[in-house]
Amino acid sequence: MSQNTSGWGSRLGFILASAGSAVGLGAIWKFPYMAGTNGGSVFMLPYIFFTLTVGVALLIA
């Protein structure tokens, strides 16, 4: 019986995907924090709205 397991094609692919994820998560967390500390809290609602909108569109695509 043959077992097919899905995984990363190479170690480099995994490292690049992990780095990209870390950079993306850093941007998502840093922008609202910086906006809030500098008096731009009003921009957080549209930022969250557009982030979720683009995220859902990418998941559907």
Side-chain angles (χ1 to χ4, degrees):
M1 194 180 322
S2 173
Q3 265 189 339
N4 288 336
T5 59
S6 63
W8 295 99
S10 68
R11 184 176 172 99
L12 178 63
F14 174 74
I15 291 171
L16 291 175
S18 298
S21 176
V23 169
L25 288 174
I28 287 174
W29 283 107
K30 184 177 180 182
F31 177 74
Y33 170 75
M34 294 298 288
T37 57
N38 293 318
S41 299
V42 81
F43 289 108
M44 288 179 60
L45 287 176
Y47 176 76
I48 291 170
F49 173 74
F50 286 119
T51 301
L52 290 174
T53 303
V54 169
V56 168
L58 289 174
L59 284 173
I60 291 173

